[in-house]
């Protein structure tokens, strides 16, 4: 159990008073009950409307419905008990059918009513890594009714547009947002490391992964976060009542299961569901509140730009659920030993914020660096302090999936880990980049070598496949031309 699922919070935000309490929380009028842990209280204190808050106009006009299905591909999966996407794409060719279909979407969106044929979900598992079929390591995707999915996507688009227009998303959250790419976030991390090196400032850098973030978000927390983005109560009631009351079936390679399952108690399954068109905006809205909480607590890194003396700040670097939390010393006078306590506080606060949404940190996929510098008189240069020189017995601990404190793996400054598709470490290791890129080229060459190609297919194949993987990290790299020739040799 996590704090939002415990009494009295769960009872406050579910039931007859749920809407009133949610509005009171967002307006800052709700007194929080005693007994709530400090990170959860801090998270809820950041759930507020902005000063110019207004509610989005929600409707499904025939024009909106026609535009949506004209752009939505037919082959996208949908729950097989209802009509599939092709029916609705064909329906927009008839003005009368399009108007009826738009009306059948409009009524649930504005009233919160959930049609019975929406209350079916089809679950199927896909591999996270090729060849890994352990159920615990696979990702469960939920297929939903085509009409409900269309409404969920519309809510997500409206929420994202409103949030971007009113600057309600944290700058550190780059996932699921337009004009934001993973490689840009990796470059931002590299630039902050360069600033730390330039200024010789110590810092703790915690790279963590939230366990199944979409599947663990508590419904009432997601409702509050989306209401903050001007989505109405009835529209959210439609979405989460669908998720909470649906019957689940399982799709396998041998066909769809005849048996079904539902929540075993009065408490429904939580989470927004992977495959839900509104899922990514929900996580952006929730995680932005956690980042805002970290900012309010004073964690992070800040410095002045050299030319204009503008303040630059960074607290978290997030791409969906993959997050790097930074806690840097206020000045060069603070050593690595001096900041260990504040680094632990930052890690605990972030883990507490994830727990306040219903989630948890996966320690097996998390690690950290403790960055500090020392002058090497023999070499006449600054160097990174190694683990055996810098509090070798210090352990950074966070609550794991079971709730017990677990220690995170601590890496040397030069130990590179693959994050956001590139090999990154505070002390840049070009060899790690080259090894990673050579591996991509060799694997591609082995797959293509055994096949037959017409000569006019070769260049389009190279440009559309392996070159995309090799071009992706170029923003970060400073490799010589001879090194790139060596990397490309298996491909050529």
């Amino acid at each position: 159990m996590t704090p939002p699922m415990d009494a009295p919070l769960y009872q406050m935000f579910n039931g007859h008073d749920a809407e009133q309490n949610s509005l009171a929380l967002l307006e800052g009028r709700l007194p929080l009950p005693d007994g709530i842990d400090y990170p959860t209280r801090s998270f809820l204190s950041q759930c507020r409307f902005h000063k110019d808050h207004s509610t989005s106009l929600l409707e499904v006009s025939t024009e909106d419905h026609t535009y949506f299905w004209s752009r939505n591909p037919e082959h996208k999966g949908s729950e097989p008990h209802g009509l599939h996407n092709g029916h609705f794409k064909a329906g927009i060719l008839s003005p009368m059918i399009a108007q009826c279909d738009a009306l059948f979407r409009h009524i649930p969106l504005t009233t919160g009513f959930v049609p019975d044929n929406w209350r079916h979900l089809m679950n199927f598992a896909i591999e996270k890594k090729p060849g890994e079929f352990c159920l615990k390591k696979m990702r469960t995707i939920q297929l939903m009714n085509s009409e409900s999915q269309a409404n969920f996507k519309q809510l997500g688009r409206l929420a994202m547009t409103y949030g971007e227009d009113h600057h309600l998303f944290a700058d550190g959250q780059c996932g699921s947002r337009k004009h934001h790419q993973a490689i840009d976030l990796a470059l931002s991390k590299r630039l902050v490391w360069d600033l730390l090196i330039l200024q010789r400032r110590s810092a703790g850098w915690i790279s963590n992964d939230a366990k199944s973030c979409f599947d663990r978000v508590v419904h009432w927390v997601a409702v509050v976060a989306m209401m903050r983005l001007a989505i109405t109560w009835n529209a959210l009631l439609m979405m989460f009542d669908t998720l909470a009351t649906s019957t689940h079936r399982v799709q396998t390679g041998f066909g769809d299961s005849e048996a079904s399952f539902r929540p075993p108690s009065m408490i429904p399954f939580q989470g927004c569901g992977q495959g839900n068109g509104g899922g990514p905006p929900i996580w952006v809205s929730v995680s932005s509140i956690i980042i805002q909480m970290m900012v309010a607590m004073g964690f992070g890194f800040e410095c002045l730009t050299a030319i204009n003396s503008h303040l630059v700040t960074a607290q978290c670097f997030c791409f969906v659920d993959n997050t790097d939390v930074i806690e840097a010393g206020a000045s060069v006078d603070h050593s690595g030993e001096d900041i260990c306590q504040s680094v632990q506080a930052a890690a605990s606060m972030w883990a507490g914020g994830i727990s306040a949404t219903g989630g948890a940190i996966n320690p097996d996929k998390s690690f950290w660096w403790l960055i500090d510098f020392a002058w090497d008189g023999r070499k006449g240069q600054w160097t990174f302090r190694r683990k055996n020189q810098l509090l070798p017995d210090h352990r950074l601990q966070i609550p794991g999936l079971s709730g017990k404190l677990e220690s995170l793996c601590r890496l040397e400054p030069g130990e590179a880990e693959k994050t956001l598709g590139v090999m990154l470490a505070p002390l840049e290791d070009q060899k790690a980049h080259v090894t990673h890129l050579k591996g991509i080229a060799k694997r591609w060459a082995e797959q293509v070598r055994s096949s037959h190609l017409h000569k006019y297919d070769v260049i389009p194949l190279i440009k559309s496949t392996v070159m995309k993987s090799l071009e992706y990290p170029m923003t970060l790299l400073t490799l010589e031309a001879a090194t790139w020739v060596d990397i490309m040799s298996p491909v050529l």
Side-chain angles (χ1 to χ4, degrees):
M1 296 293 285
T2 54
M5 293 297 292
D6 290 338
L9 288 178
Y10 187 80
Q11 287 72 19
M12 289 175 60
F13 293 96
N14 290 273
H16 298 297
D17 298 330
E19 182 178 5
Q20 292 79 3
N21 287 338
S22 298
L23 288 172
L25 175 67
L26 289 165
E27 293 171 357
R29 299 183 288 104
L30 183 69
L32 297 178
D34 297 330
I36 302 176
D37 63 276
Y38 184 67
T40 302
R41 185 177 293 273
S42 300
F43 174 84
L44 294 177
S45 68
Q46 299 301 320
C47 297
R48 297 290 185 271
F49 288 134
H50 70 103
K51 62 178 181 179
D52 298 323
H53 176 78
S54 60
T55 303
S56 296
L57 177 62
L58 297 179
E59 63 176 359
V60 181
S61 65
T62 304
E63 292 75 17
D64 294 334
H65 178 82
T66 301
Y67 178 76
F68 174 82
W69 285 112
S70 66
R71 295 173 59 89
N72 199 57
E74 181 176 348
H75 67 270
K76 288 289 185 179
S78 60
E79 206 283 327
H81 284 80
L83 300 178
H84 65 77
N85 294 351
H87 290 98
F88 295 100
K89 289 184 72 68
I92 62 176
L93 300 178
S94 167
M96 183 180 68
I97 295 178
Q99 185 177 6
C100 291
D101 287 342
L103 183 62
F104 290 150
R105 284 181 52 202
H106 177 80
I107 293 173
L109 186 69
T110 54
T111 65
F113 165 75
V114 179
D116 288 340
N117 63 327
W118 290 15
R119 301 180 193 270
H120 296 278
L121 297 179
M122 183 64 73
N123 302 343
F124 70 95
I126 61 174
E127 307 161 68
K128 286 187 177 180
K129 295 182 180 179
E132 182 62 76
F133 294 105
C134 177
L135 287 178
K136 292 183 178 180
K137 296 183 179 180
M138 297 181 74
R139 177 179 287 112
T140 300
I141 304 298
Q142 295 182 342
L143 296 180
M144 302 179 183
N145 180 275
S146 294
E147 289 179 292
S148 65
Q149 185 73 286
N151 277 8
F152 297 168
K153 290 181 178 181
Q154 180 172 347
L155 292 184
R157 288 195 303 272
L158 290 173
M160 294 299 292
T161 300
Y162 186 90
E164 296 287 4
D165 291 344
H166 294 84
H167 309 289
L168 297 179
F169 298 139
D171 293 333
Q173 177 54 275
C174 294
S176 307
R177 299 174 63 185
K178 290 183 177 180
H179 312 300
H180 289 71
Q181 298 180 347
I183 194 62
D184 296 333
L185 187 65
L187 177 60
S188 298
K189 292 162 63 173
R190 179 75 265 166
L191 294 176
V192 172
W193 281 331
D194 290 344
L195 287 172
L196 291 171
I197 295 171
L198 181 66
Q199 299 176 11
R200 311 289 181 244
R201 287 171 61 182
S202 57
W205 196 284
I206 308 133
S207 181
N208 62 84
D209 181 80
K211 173 65 175 178
S212 304
C213 61
F214 283 22
D215 297 326
R216 294 180 62 119
V217 175
V218 173
H219 286 178
W220 71 259
V221 174
V223 168
V224 168
M226 292 291 279
M227 288 178 68
R228 180 171 169 263
L229 301 181
I231 304 301
T232 62
W233 174 265
N234 284 339
L236 294 168
L237 182 64
M238 171 209 65
M239 178 189 291
F240 289 100
D241 194 26
T242 301
L243 297 174
T245 61
S246 290
T247 299
H248 294 249
R249 290 178 174 81
V250 178
Q251 190 173 73
T252 71
F254 300 97
D256 300 343
S257 66
E258 295 182 2
S260 61
F261 64 94
R262 302 186 69 178
S265 68
M266 294 298 295
I267 299 177
F269 294 137
Q270 303 298 302
C272 53
Q274 299 199 45
N276 179 359
I282 289 173
W283 181 250
V284 171
S285 64
V286 169
S287 59
S288 291
I289 297 175
I290 305 177
I291 298 175
Q292 188 173 325
M293 176 189 73
M294 299 293 289
V295 174
M297 296 299 298
F299 295 114
F301 161 83
E302 59 181 29
C303 72
L304 296 176
T305 58
I307 297 178
N308 298 324
S309 293
H310 291 167
L311 181 65
V312 176
T313 64
Q315 292 77 28
C316 305
F317 299 88
C318 304
F319 196 83
V320 192
D321 60 340
N322 292 316
T323 306
D324 290 75
V325 178
I326 178 175
E327 172 60 9
S331 69
V332 295
D333 298 325
H334 292 168
S335 66
E337 291 84 354
D338 295 334
I339 67 168
C340 281
Q341 186 174 357
S342 61
V343 173
Q344 177 64 71
S348 299
M349 184 59 67
W350 179 262
I354 295 292
S355 178
T357 70
I361 300 297
N362 187 354
D364 294 337
K365 294 185 178 181
S366 304
F367 53 89
W368 74 294
W369 291 283
L370 186 55
I371 302 170
D372 199 9
F373 306 90
W375 176 257
D376 188 335
R378 292 179 298 174
K379 296 182 179 180
Q381 63 183 14
W382 289 93
T383 61
F384 281 91
R385 294 174 66 185
R386 302 293 174 176
K387 288 167 61 175
N388 60 354
Q389 301 172 314
L390 183 63
L391 283 180
D393 58 343
H394 179 73
R395 294 182 179 180
L396 190 69
Q397 294 183 317
I398 62 170
L401 300 179
S402 64
K404 296 181 180 179
L405 290 177
E406 298 186 33
S407 298
L408 298 186
C409 176
R410 179 177 164 192
L411 305 180
E412 293 282 12
E415 286 188 68
E417 282 286 338
K418 185 179 179 181
T419 58
L420 301 175
V422 290
M423 305 301 293
L424 290 175
L427 177 58
E428 187 172 13
D429 186 358
Q430 296 284 14
K431 291 183 179 179
H433 289 300
V434 174
T435 301
H436 176 60
L437 294 174
K438 280 185 176 180
I440 293 174
K442 289 179 180 178
R443 285 192 298 272
W444 182 89
E446 290 171 359
Q447 294 169 347
V448 173
R449 187 178 293 116
S450 60
S451 61
H452 174 73
L453 287 175
H454 296 288
K455 62 180 181 179
Y456 47 76
D457 291 332
V458 174
I459 296 301
L461 176 67
I462 293 177
K463 287 184 176 180
S464 61
T465 56
V466 67
M467 282 308 299
K468 296 301 180 182
S469 299
L470 298 179
E471 290 169 1
Y472 171 75
M474 284 185 177
T475 306
L476 293 172
L477 304 183
T478 54
L479 302 181
E480 298 177 351
T483 304
W484 278 110
V485 171
D486 187 31
I487 292 171
M488 286 293 296
S489 60
V491 175
L492 301 179

